Amino acid sequence: MSSGRLTVGIVDYGVGNHTSVLRCVRQLGFRARISPQPDQLDQADVLLLPGVGAFPTAMERLHATGLVGYLQRAAQLGRPLIGICLGMQLLAESSTELGFTPGLGLIPGAVEAIGEPRWHIGWNSLEVADGQPLLHASDGEVMYFNHSYAFRGPEAFVAARSRVREGSEPLVAAIQRGSVWGLQFHPEKSQVPGLRLLEHLIRAEGER
Amino acid sequence: MLRKRLLGAVVVRQGWAVQSFGYRRWLPLGKPQCLVENLDRWGADGIVVLSTDRGDHGPDLELIERLGALGLSTPLTYGGGLSTEEHARAAVRAGAERLVLDAVLSHNPVAVGAMASAVGVQALVAALPMVQSATGEVLHLQHRTGAQSELATSIRKLIAAEQVSEVLVIDAAGEGEGQGFNPALLEAVEAQTSLPLLAFGGLARAEQIRPLLSRPQLAGVMVGNALNYCEHAIGHLKAGLTDQPLRPHRQSSSV
Amino acid sequence: MSTAPVQFCKRCLYTTNHPLGLVLDAEGICSGCRVHEEKDRLDWTERWQQLEQLVKPYRSRDSRNYDCIVPVSGAGDSFFIVHLVKERLGLKPLLVTYNRYYNTPLGIRNLAQLRRRFDCDILIQSVNPLSVKKIIRTTLRELGSFHWPVLAGQSVLPVQTAVSHQVPLIIWGAHQGVEQVGMFSHLHKVEMTRRYRKDHDLMGYEADDLLSVFDSLTEADIWQYRYPDEAALEQVGVRGIYLGNFVRWDPWAQHQQMVKQAGFASARMNRTFDIFDHVDDWHYMDMHDWIKNQKHGYGRVVDQACREIRHGRISREDAAAQAKFYQALLPKHQTLLLEWLGLEESGFNFLIRQFVCHASEIKVAPNTIEAALPRHLFASEPGITLDTNTADRPVTIGKGYPDWFIPSIT
């Protein structure tokens, strides 16, 4: 482990419980703090955007806390930003969950209902796309998913997929554009494989 | 491909983690947080905490927060005392990934829809303790009252409308005895819904688990008492089930 | 944790306040007594066969390694356990013992007797005394216990040794949860787990918890007490079994047998009628027991009395009288402990006061209070007391013990 400790800023926009993500990141050896304040988040080397619940509520909260502009600027500046679960979906241009809602628009694509099956719940293996050196070691690893909406977008931004059944249409499991990453699964709930992936990603992006 | 799950159950009564025997007898095991943290370390596919004595007092939020503070890297499901939308919201806020609903299905099934809107259908699991009568009929057991009856229409409707994402079928008679799970109970529920099912009650050995996992509709099994009799119980069970579509067991090592 | 009123078992002296958790059935008999009934119902011959089958794959194929690890001390069930392992199962054990520091000369002598009589190899671990005292000062202040290092060391040393020596099987005597409160049935054949150790032996605090929760300790003080990681345990296949699941466990009878056959030495101790358990420890039946009484409302003599009630050697009334008498006795070696720890008496009393709870009064009819030893339990009087040592100081293994101290053993 490198001696200079990276700081992870967990974006707090009033939705969900961030304790598990906070503890996880600290256990990985990083400094971490949860904050809604831009000046505190500015001190982070890597931003983490968690999320649970419904897309419209989350976007409403992001707007209310003034963080939409902050996150968009952070992406423009090339700051590392990792969205987890609903946090990944917020990075997209829009979602049709409970009606049409615009997202942060940081990665081209839209979030739509999975359809069949209705939910993707449980442990499933990652199929990492070509040209993804940071995720390469996690190809075939089994992660924990819990979602009913999924990202659909250009091939170029899809970093990993997961399929519910042999031969079924794969769901997008991870997206990436520049320094902005989205993980549909819960790395902080996926035990060793998830922790390894998260640690690797934070370190690689944070040290660039 | 989605894997089937081997879940660890922690039954809590009067603040103690307990061994449960048919919903009637309990023997103490220790502190819930010690059992939960242990299941996390062992690599269970999920941890399900069931508070059996909440009655009308709502969910045990203090317990959920305490468990959340452990820094688990395994999904945590909570059941016990959940009967309103606010309960569901509060339990998820406190750190539960998913929720198990039991008494509310019988007492106030309408509330389930509100809970689904609040936390999402994928966060809800319906628990159905079932028994098989002497005449072979499979009946729903309401463990608060002890009443055994056909599955209420309201519950059937709820499941048919998919207001929950999974159904946890509990072998109430076999629970705790380690003598296996009665497959007739699963057959009866499979006839009512195509939702994924979980099975809990009486499972102690790999050879008891195997026939359940090969049922297409079964998404996972839950093991309770039997996980407390030896070290690495999850690993031993998985070692006996390598032919099954479970998440492979790995020796945990530092990241 | 329960808010229900405290209830007593109708058969033994335990209450529903027992720290391991105890339940009463519809007849008011506790789970510990019910599981004890299995001792008279199970086919122990058949269960011995199960044990033989269990240990078979662990017999090492050549003479260059041990078959099992056996944790021992200079007291308790050690003699009987080694007798079963070596002489009845025919296994080659590596004995391991954790140095608790405040050893009695009798304990040192018993340990040497154990090793020589059964002709076994033994590993003795002493963690540096500065770290031990630092830990104790912390656990005394925060948990009201000075026993944590002994509990942690005794329970982890065999596991660490199993990993370092690549000897997977660890053989223990009886499981405390089974014997005291019937936490498990003998039929469950419960085995050693890290979870139980943390939950019950260590009061919820492993080494790293002491480190993260309390500011006073550093990594250097506690790493010796750390459990090996999961990967190492699974790679070696470490497994701890309890002989009490396969043998009708009766400590009193077993100790007497070991006095006769193997030269185990017993002694009178403070605060109990028992003369076998804890003869190796200056403080266990003294300061430690007195503190335990303050915290939990009962002393070790109650555990021993319940054991003897269940084995049919003493009536509940007599046991209650014995327990009442012995629990009232004050500790004698307070100065010894406090000097060793570097604590003032007033400071110590202040620490302990915060852990006092209300003792559960055992109801005893006034005219049955009996101060003497329960004579019918003894074939012959033990010749010595724990204080038979004019140096009156603990002996640290390695310093040796006074060679003029030779107890007379028949």
Side-chain angles (χ1 to χ4, degrees), chain B residues 149-231:
Chain B
S149 59
E150 257 190 41
L151 201 56
T153 312
S154 51
I155 299 181
R156 268 190 264 185
K157 278 203 183 136
L158 196 156
I159 292 175
E162 295 191 349
Q163 289 187 322
V164 295
S165 49
E166 280 179 337
V167 177
L168 169 62
V169 183
I170 301 175
D171 185 339
E175 197 228 353
E177 302 301 338
Q179 300 301 311
F181 185 98
N182 182 355
L185 308 181
L186 286 176
E187 274 161 36
V189 179
E190 280 162 359
Q192 312 263 1
T193 177
S194 54
L195 283 175
L197 305 181
L198 300 170
F200 173 52
L203 294 171
R205 296 193 308 276
E207 60 264 27
Q208 293 166 336
I209 293 173
R210 180 175 287 101
L212 300 182
L213 291 180
S214 45
R215 302 176 84 98
Q217 209 172 327
L218 199 98
V221 297
M222 230 160 90
V223 181
N225 297 355
L227 293 181
N228 296 289
Y229 304 144
C230 67
E231 188 60 274

Side-chain angles (χ1 to χ4, degrees), chain A residues 17 23 27 118-121 123-125 141-142 144 146-148 163-164 186 188-191 193 196, chain B residues 1-3 43-45 69-70 73-75 93-95 97-98 121-122 162 164-165 195 247 250 255:
Chain A
N17 180 308
R23 299 262 328 208
Q27 271 165 21
R118 258 182 86 183
W119 315 281
H120 184 208
I121 300 172
W123 296 87
N124 209 341
S125 17
E141 290 283 17
V142 180
Y144 180 72
N146 185 1
H147 59 122
S148 54
R163 75 188 73 217
V164 177
H186 284 277
E188 81 285 10
K189 300 247 189 274
S190 299
Q191 295 173 2
R196 267 208 192 117
Chain B
M1 190 192 63
L2 201 58
R3 305 297 197 279
D45 297 332
L70 293 173
S73 57
T74 306
R93 236 189 344 254
E97 262 273 307
R98 301 179 79 206
V121 176
Q122 72 237 42
E162 295 191 349
V164 295
S165 49
L195 283 175
R247 184 173 66 103
R250 64 195 300 145
V255 172

Side-chain angles (χ1 to χ4, degrees), chain B residues 2-254:
Chain B
L2 201 58
R3 305 297 197 279
K4 305 213 172 189
R5 289 126 68 204
L6 175 55
L7 305 169
V10 177
V11 179
V12 178
R13 192 165 185 274
Q14 291 175 1
W16 281 78
V18 296
Q19 297 163 76
S20 171
F21 301 94
Y23 282 99
R24 279 161 316 163
R25 269 196 317 125
W26 295 272
L27 277 179
L29 277 171
K31 304 173 197 48
Q33 60 267 30
C34 286
L35 271 84
V36 167
E37 157 190 86
N38 186 64
L39 287 171
D40 179 55
R41 185 177 48 236
W42 274 357
D45 297 332
I47 301 168
V48 181
V49 175
L50 299 172
S51 278
T52 60
D53 55 351
R54 295 302 297 171
D56 296 319
H57 300 290
D60 192 343
L61 296 175
E62 194 268 331
L63 174 65
I64 302 172
E65 277 163 14
R66 207 174 347 127
L67 299 177
L70 293 173
L72 304 171
S73 57
T74 306
L76 180 71
T77 298
Y78 171 85
L82 297 160
S83 59
T84 70
E85 182 187 330
E86 187 40 47
H87 287 164
R89 254 194 248 275
V92 167
R93 236 189 344 254
E97 262 273 307
R98 301 179 79 206
L99 307 174
V100 174
L101 308 177
D102 195 331
V104 67
L105 301 174
S106 306
H107 301 165
N108 192 14
V110 159
V112 178
M115 289 158 96
S117 301
V119 296
V121 176
Q122 72 237 42
L124 301 181
V125 177
L128 297 181
M130 313 284 277
V131 292
Q132 189 167 27
S133 72
T135 52
E137 218 189 333
V138 173
L139 303 169
H140 176 218
L141 169 72
Q142 292 175 60
H143 66 95
R144 266 204 218 175
T145 59
Q148 297 178 10
S149 59
E150 257 190 41
L151 201 56
T153 312
S154 51
I155 299 181
R156 268 190 264 185
K157 278 203 183 136
L158 196 156
I159 292 175
E162 295 191 349
Q163 289 187 322
V164 295
S165 49
E166 280 179 337
V167 177
L168 169 62
V169 183
I170 301 175
D171 185 339
E175 197 228 353
E177 302 301 338
Q179 300 301 311
F181 185 98
N182 182 355
L185 308 181
L186 286 176
E187 274 161 36
V189 179
E190 280 162 359
Q192 312 263 1
T193 177
S194 54
L195 283 175
L197 305 181
L198 300 170
F200 173 52
L203 294 171
R205 296 193 308 276
E207 60 264 27
Q208 293 166 336
I209 293 173
R210 180 175 287 101
L212 300 182
L213 291 180
S214 45
R215 302 176 84 98
Q217 209 172 327
L218 199 98
V221 297
M222 230 160 90
V223 181
N225 297 355
L227 293 181
N228 296 289
Y229 304 144
C230 67
E231 188 60 274
H232 301 133
I234 292 280
H236 289 312
L237 285 174
K238 284 203 174 180
L241 293 165
T242 48
D243 57 318
Q244 296 296 312
L246 285 171
R247 184 173 66 103
H249 181 68
R250 64 195 300 145
Q251 292 171 5
S252 56
S253 49
S254 53

